[in-house]
Short mmCIF file of all heavy atoms in Angstrom, two decimals:
data_model
loop_
_atom_site.label_atom_id
_atom_site.label_comp_id
_atom_site.label_asym_id
_atom_site.label_seq_id
_atom_site.Cartn_x
_atom_site.Cartn_y
_atom_site.Cartn_z
N THR A 106 113.53 20.42 164.36
CA THR A 106 112.56 21.06 165.24
C THR A 106 111.63 20.03 165.84
O THR A 106 111.41 20.02 167.06
CB THR A 106 111.75 22.09 164.47
OG1 THR A 106 112.64 23.05 163.90
CG2 THR A 106 110.74 22.77 165.34
N VAL A 107 111.12 19.14 165.02
CA VAL A 107 110.19 18.12 165.50
C VAL A 107 110.96 17.10 166.35
O VAL A 107 110.45 16.61 167.39
CB VAL A 107 109.46 17.42 164.34
CG1 VAL A 107 108.54 16.31 164.83
CG2 VAL A 107 108.66 18.43 163.55
N GLU A 108 112.19 16.76 165.99
CA GLU A 108 113.00 15.83 166.78
C GLU A 108 113.27 16.40 168.19
O GLU A 108 113.26 15.66 169.16
CB GLU A 108 114.30 15.48 166.10
CG GLU A 108 114.16 14.42 165.04
CD GLU A 108 115.47 14.00 164.47
OE1 GLU A 108 116.53 14.64 164.67
OE2 GLU A 108 115.48 12.94 163.74
N ILE A 109 113.55 17.69 168.25
CA ILE A 109 113.77 18.32 169.54
C ILE A 109 112.52 18.23 170.41
O ILE A 109 112.58 17.94 171.62
CB ILE A 109 114.25 19.78 169.38
CG1 ILE A 109 115.66 19.82 168.81
CG2 ILE A 109 114.16 20.57 170.67
CD1 ILE A 109 116.13 21.20 168.37
N LEU A 110 111.35 18.49 169.76
CA LEU A 110 110.11 18.32 170.49
C LEU A 110 109.98 16.89 171.02
O LEU A 110 109.57 16.67 172.17
CB LEU A 110 108.92 18.63 169.61
CG LEU A 110 108.53 20.10 169.43
CD1 LEU A 110 107.45 20.21 168.36
CD2 LEU A 110 108.05 20.67 170.71
N LYS A 111 110.28 15.94 170.16
CA LYS A 111 110.15 14.52 170.60
C LYS A 111 111.10 14.24 171.76
O LYS A 111 110.71 13.58 172.71
CB LYS A 111 110.51 13.59 169.41
CG LYS A 111 110.41 12.15 169.72
CD LYS A 111 110.76 11.28 168.56
CE LYS A 111 110.68 9.81 168.90
NZ LYS A 111 110.93 8.93 167.74
N ASP A 112 112.36 14.72 171.68
CA ASP A 112 113.31 14.48 172.73
C ASP A 112 112.84 15.07 174.05
O ASP A 112 112.98 14.46 175.11
CB ASP A 112 114.70 15.00 172.35
CG ASP A 112 115.32 14.22 171.20
OD1 ASP A 112 114.86 13.09 170.95
OD2 ASP A 112 116.28 14.79 170.56
N LYS A 113 112.33 16.32 173.98
CA LYS A 113 111.84 16.96 175.19
C LYS A 113 110.65 16.24 175.80
O LYS A 113 110.61 16.05 177.01
CB LYS A 113 111.47 18.45 174.89
CG LYS A 113 112.65 19.34 174.70
CD LYS A 113 112.23 20.77 174.46
CE LYS A 113 113.44 21.66 174.29
NZ LYS A 113 113.05 23.07 174.07
N GLN A 114 109.73 15.79 174.95
CA GLN A 114 108.59 15.07 175.45
C GLN A 114 108.98 13.71 176.03
O GLN A 114 108.44 13.28 177.04
CB GLN A 114 107.53 14.89 174.35
CG GLN A 114 106.78 16.15 174.00
CD GLN A 114 105.72 15.92 172.92
OE1 GLN A 114 105.44 14.83 172.55
NE2 GLN A 114 105.17 17.06 172.45
N LYS A 115 109.95 13.09 175.41
CA LYS A 115 110.42 11.78 175.89
C LYS A 115 111.12 11.97 177.24
O LYS A 115 110.94 11.15 178.17
CB LYS A 115 111.38 11.13 174.89
CG LYS A 115 111.73 9.72 175.27
CD LYS A 115 112.47 9.02 174.15
CE LYS A 115 112.69 7.58 174.54
NZ LYS A 115 113.27 6.82 173.44
N ALA A 116 111.92 13.04 177.38
CA ALA A 116 112.59 13.28 178.65
C ALA A 116 111.59 13.57 179.76
O ALA A 116 111.69 13.10 180.87
CB ALA A 116 113.55 14.48 178.50
N LYS A 117 110.54 14.34 179.40
CA LYS A 117 109.48 14.63 180.38
C LYS A 117 108.75 13.36 180.77
O LYS A 117 108.51 13.13 181.96
CB LYS A 117 108.51 15.64 179.75
CG LYS A 117 107.39 16.06 180.70
CD LYS A 117 106.45 17.04 180.00
CE LYS A 117 105.28 17.36 180.93
NZ LYS A 117 104.26 18.19 180.26
N PHE A 118 108.46 12.52 179.81
CA PHE A 118 107.81 11.25 180.06
C PHE A 118 108.64 10.36 180.98
O PHE A 118 108.14 9.78 181.94
CB PHE A 118 107.49 10.55 178.73
CG PHE A 118 106.92 9.16 178.87
CD1 PHE A 118 105.55 9.01 179.15
CD2 PHE A 118 107.69 8.03 178.79
CE1 PHE A 118 104.99 7.76 179.29
CE2 PHE A 118 107.13 6.76 178.94
CZ PHE A 118 105.77 6.65 179.17
N THR A 119 109.94 10.31 180.70
CA THR A 119 110.85 9.50 181.50
C THR A 119 110.90 10.05 182.93
O THR A 119 110.89 9.26 183.88
CB THR A 119 112.27 9.47 180.87
OG1 THR A 119 112.13 9.03 179.53
CG2 THR A 119 113.21 8.60 181.63
N ARG A 120 111.00 11.37 183.05
CA ARG A 120 111.01 11.96 184.42
C ARG A 120 109.74 11.61 185.18
O ARG A 120 109.81 11.26 186.35
CB ARG A 120 111.15 13.51 184.32
CG ARG A 120 112.55 14.04 184.44
CD ARG A 120 112.58 15.53 184.66
NE ARG A 120 111.60 16.31 183.88
CZ ARG A 120 111.83 16.79 182.69
NH1 ARG A 120 112.94 16.56 182.05
NH2 ARG A 120 110.89 17.50 182.07
N GLU A 121 108.62 11.73 184.50
CA GLU A 121 107.33 11.39 185.18
C GLU A 121 107.27 9.93 185.58
O GLU A 121 106.80 9.62 186.67
CB GLU A 121 106.16 11.76 184.25
CG GLU A 121 105.93 13.25 184.09
CD GLU A 121 104.91 13.59 183.03
OE1 GLU A 121 104.37 12.66 182.35
OE2 GLU A 121 104.60 14.79 182.87
N GLN A 122 107.77 9.06 184.68
CA GLN A 122 107.78 7.63 185.02
C GLN A 122 108.70 7.36 186.19
O GLN A 122 108.36 6.57 187.10
CB GLN A 122 108.23 6.80 183.79
CG GLN A 122 107.22 6.79 182.67
CD GLN A 122 105.95 6.08 183.09
OE1 GLN A 122 105.98 5.03 183.67
NE2 GLN A 122 104.81 6.68 182.74
#
Side-chain angles (χ1 to χ4, degrees):
T106 301
V107 178
E108 278 186 349
I109 289 170
L110 277 173
K111 180 180 180 177
D112 292 342
K113 285 182 180 181
Q114 287 181 10
K115 188 170 185 174
K117 181 181 177 186
F118 177 80
T119 305
R120 265 194 319 272
E121 289 173 356
Q122 290 294 315

